[in-house]
Amino acid sequence: MRTTTSNLHLASLMALTAALAGCGGTTSDNNTSAPPPPPPATAPIALHFVQPTENVLEPGASEPLAANVVVNGSTAPNGTVTTFSVSPSGAAALSPVAPTTVAGVASTTLTVSSLPPSATFQVGATATSTSNTAGDSLTYYVRPAHQALQVLVPAYFSATGTSSPWATLTSGAASYPDVKITAVASASDGVLTATSKADDDLLKAIKDFKAVAGTTNKVIGYVATSGSGGSRSVADVKATIDNYIRLYPDQLDGFFLDGMATDSARLAYFQDIYNYIKALASGMSKGATPPNAPTVIGNPGTYPVAAYAGVADTLVTYAGNAAAYQAIDPQPASTWVYAKDNTAQGMLVHTASTCTDMQAAVKHANRPRLNTGLVYATNLAVGASWSSLPTYWQQLLGTVDALNKQRPLPLC
């Protein structure tokens, strides 16, 4: 008997049905072995810190900390739990640890433990919506307690005459006796030899400046460590230091080393000079011990490698244009600055054209993030930056005084 095409099709369908039945497969809606439906859509969530504006704190300091939480692109519902944490856990305390959001913001208070300078720690925050979790983290740095701002004046100008900038410098010091000023006096552009002679006008100006009643102002000698022929030898630099002492006896409180390098190649050179200066006593005789040892300020003009912090009491980590200074930031490459007092850093800013520009520069230096304690700004431009005092000299002193006393800044 011949098998028809219809019969073959029927047999095939029956065999397929039997096979499906054996495997449990069926088209019935009542079969519990059917693939599960897809999970419900989860709500996207985002979280980011909105405080602090500063991530450099001092031991024992407390500050508010807040995170913004968004769900489905909108402000998170009130009561959304946000969990904060600290790593390492002993670095700081949080109160509360798991606040709930109000108007999309979760707030807590961070209190730093008694950590050593240059310590770091992290703060994290997380929030969850259905099965999605979002988080953010911050790195904090710890610096020593803030010291009052001081003024560092590159007083490379002439001392001749009653109307010289030195006279203005001295009158300003008398007007603001609470503002400590360190003036850098320059004789023969920082290169003195055995045949050099004292500048009598400069000597008198230094004495007048230091004699201002009620002040603790200093004068340090400008020393060039490089010239047109390259680096000066250690012997020549030491000779300049000795001749400053010979020509201006009992008047100098230390030295300003201009042209300091930034890499480790010349570290030994500056270490030798630093040790030589520190061996000079107050009054510049041999055999000093701290705190009477002379002050050493180095001027690399930018952030050097960290080891240079050991060859100067203060490093000028910025010397340049006021506008560019607003972008200066020691993080992340030079966070070693937080191991030192703010008085271990200085800045010299030129082309701060207006009093307002000056105040912006000084306020930037005073930020914990910059950790800079010796400041100077002038309206004079590059090429003659330090040839006189700024037109807003009195306002500069008043600005520093106001910041130190937490008072409103003087009007410009």
Side-chain angles (χ1 to χ4, degrees):
M1 181 178 184
R2 284 187 0 184
T3 304
T4 67
T5 301
S6 297
N7 289 336
L8 287 173
H9 286 168
L10 178 61
S12 297
L13 288 172
M14 291 175 66
L16 178 59
T17 300
L20 288 172
C23 296
T26 180
T27 59
S28 171
D29 290 340
N30 294 324
N31 193 322
T32 57
S33 297
T42 56
I45 185 170
L47 178 151
H48 67 273
F49 282 107
V50 291
Q51 281 182 317
T53 56
E54 293 285 355
N55 68 338
V56 180
L57 301 175
E58 299 171 16
S62 293
E63 76 160 28
L65 186 60
N68 187 63
V69 184
V70 173
V71 177
N72 276 329
S74 301
T75 299
N78 286 351
T80 301
V81 176
T82 302
T83 303
F84 291 85
S85 62
V86 175
S87 179
S89 58
L94 293 160
S95 181
V97 172
T100 57
T101 57
V102 176
V105 177
S107 301
T108 186
T109 298
L110 175 74
T111 302
V112 183
S113 301
S114 298
L115 298 176
S118 77
T120 63
F121 63 93
Q122 285 70 45
V123 174
T126 59
T128 300
S129 173
T130 61
S131 61
N132 279 351
T133 299
D136 197 5
S137 64
L138 290 171
T139 298
Y140 279 92
Y141 300 89
V142 181
R143 67 168 184 169
H146 178 262
Q147 304 296 316
L149 284 178
Q150 303 176 28
V151 176
L152 175 65
V153 180
Y156 307 158
F157 30 75
S158 170
T160 303
T162 56
S163 61
S164 79
W166 271 96
T168 306
L169 174 65
T170 300
S171 64
S175 299
Y176 290 94
D178 293 339
V179 176
K180 184 173 181 178
I181 304 172
T182 297
V184 185
S186 177
S188 301
D189 295 326
V191 179
L192 295 174
T193 66
T195 60
S196 298
K197 296 181 179 180
D199 180 337
D200 291 337
D201 291 327
L202 179 58
L203 181 58
K204 182 180 184 304
I206 292 172
K207 290 180 178 179
D208 290 345
F209 173 70
K210 295 188 68 174
V212 174
T215 67
T216 57
N217 296 327
K218 292 183 177 182
V219 176
I220 61 177
Y222 173 87
V223 178
T225 65
S226 61
S228 58
S231 299
R232 299 179 65 209
S233 69
V234 170
D236 285 344
V237 171
K238 290 179 179 178
T240 290
I241 292 167
D242 291 342
N243 284 303
Y244 262 116
I245 296 168
R246 174 178 63 86
L247 299 172
Y248 304 94
D250 301 320
Q251 298 303 317
L252 299 179
D253 301 288
F255 296 94
F256 182 92
L257 304 179
D258 198 18
M260 184 172 274
T262 59
D263 60 23
S264 58
R266 295 186 71 205
L267 183 61
Y269 170 95
F270 287 101
Q271 183 73 65
D272 192 347
I273 297 168
Y274 175 80
N275 292 343
Y276 185 78
I277 295 172
K278 286 298 183 179
L280 301 170
S282 178
M284 302 299 174
S285 60
K286 293 286 185 178
T289 56
N292 295 320
T295 297
V296 179
I297 298 181
N299 181 25
T302 188
Y303 294 106
V305 296
Y308 276 88
V311 298
D313 300 303
T314 300
L315 291 170
V316 176
T317 52
Y318 184 81
N321 186 283
Y325 184 58
Q326 293 300 315
I328 293 299
D329 189 348
Q331 298 182 29
S334 299
T335 56
W336 55 265
V337 301
Y338 303 132
K340 295 281 190 176
D341 287 347
N342 59 327
T343 54
Q345 275 197 95
M347 63 80 146
L348 301 172
V349 165
H350 61 70
T351 325
S353 302
T354 67
C355 172
T356 301
D357 294 335
M358 172 273 291
Q359 291 185 336
V362 173
K363 287 191 294 183
H364 188 55
N366 195 46
R367 291 178 56 197
R369 191 176 181 112
L370 272 291
N371 198 40
T372 301
L374 274 67
V375 300
Y376 184 77
T378 180
N379 58 296
L380 301 178
V382 64
S385 308
W386 325 125
S387 60
S388 188
L389 288 169
T391 55
Y392 41 66
W393 169 239
Q394 289 284 344
Q395 289 100 321
L396 171 58
L397 294 176
T399 296
V400 170
D401 193 49
L403 287 171
N404 286 341
K405 296 174 180 176
Q406 299 184 342
R407 295 176 179 172
L409 301 187
L411 295 176
C412 286

